[in-house]
Amino acid sequence: MRLFAFIGFLAVILGIAAAGYFFGGFYSISAVNADPAPVAWALTQVRNASIGRHATDIAPPEFTDPATVRAGAKAFAQRGCVSCHGGPGADWAKFSEGLRPDPPDLKDLADALAPREIFWVVKNGINMTGMPSFARVGVDDKEIWAITAFVKQLPKVSDEDFKAWSTAP
Ligand code: HEC
């Protein structure tokens, strides 16, 4: 019994110390230093598990049409994805290097991510990172599927094609 009382006492002390640390302003929210490795690992696991469970929408039939991919390229350029993620032959904005977590180069992820996952992330964003929710700013599902179709093709899109598609009238 004594042991349990002692463990309970320790838990209360720890709780008070943690509250003092975080609410007292001792924890630094600066984006200059990376999260400690175990924190970064845990956040990545939580993100991937969350996306995996929530992303259930099925791509529309026109998803693989070349016209959809081209429309997606244009939306990708116009909606500002390039500033943070770059694009074929297009540099990301300098400020994106100051974001933590880093916006990934999407052509490296395109094969590993399922269309439903890309769609969900673009639609909903990722809370507490720089990744915005595009549904919140009025981008409809059709356009988000087009962007998704383009992101899936990213590893194969040449600089010239991206330029032509993103500047098409
Ligand atoms: C202001 C910067 C910013 C903009 C603009 C932005 N993103 Fe992101 N995006 C991020 C960051 C930061 C992450 C990484 C989040 C993380 O590591 O959890 C990310 C992650 C992603 C991911 C990967 C999710 C995963 O599972 O690893 C995809 C896909 C993505 N963004 C697509 C897009 C598309 C498409 C657009 C444009 C419609 C866009 N992003 C616009 C910052 C941005």
Side-chain angles (χ1 to χ4, degrees), residues 25-147:
F26 295 98
Y27 174 75
S28 170
I29 58 160
S30 159
V32 170
N33 296 313
D35 284 326
V39 175
W41 175 85
L43 290 175
T44 305
Q45 301 303 310
V46 171
R47 180 196 67 205
N48 293 347
S50 174
I51 295 170
R53 187 170 292 277
H54 284 89
T56 52
D57 289 295
I58 311 273
E62 69 275 15
F63 183 68
T64 47
D65 289 356
T68 305
V69 176
R70 288 198 295 270
K74 190 164 183 189
F76 188 89
Q78 285 179 345
R79 295 291 184 183
C81 315
V82 174
S83 311
C84 288
H85 293 285
D91 276 343
W92 27 37
K94 187 73 184 162
F95 76 76
S96 71
E97 291 168 26
L99 282 172
R100 205 173 290 280
D102 261 9
D105 187 340
L106 296 178
K107 76 171 173 326
D108 300 338
L109 286 181
D111 290 335
L113 293 174
R116 64 183 174 88
E117 295 174 312
I118 300 171
F119 175 82
W120 191 89
V121 166
V122 176
K123 183 166 177 166
N124 294 282
I126 303 177
N127 207 14
M128 290 184 283
T129 75
M131 179 59 200
S133 155
F134 284 85
R136 276 199 72 200
V137 293
V139 183
D140 62 20
D141 283 6
K142 186 166 181 270
E143 187 176 338
I144 297 176
W145 276 119
I147 293 172

Side-chain angles (χ1 to χ4, degrees), residues 147-163:
I147 293 172
T148 303
F150 171 69
V151 170
K152 277 305 278 180
Q153 296 302 319
L154 260 178
K156 288 181 253 159
V157 176
S158 69
D159 297 2
E160 292 72 31
D161 280 347
F162 182 57
K163 195 165 177 197

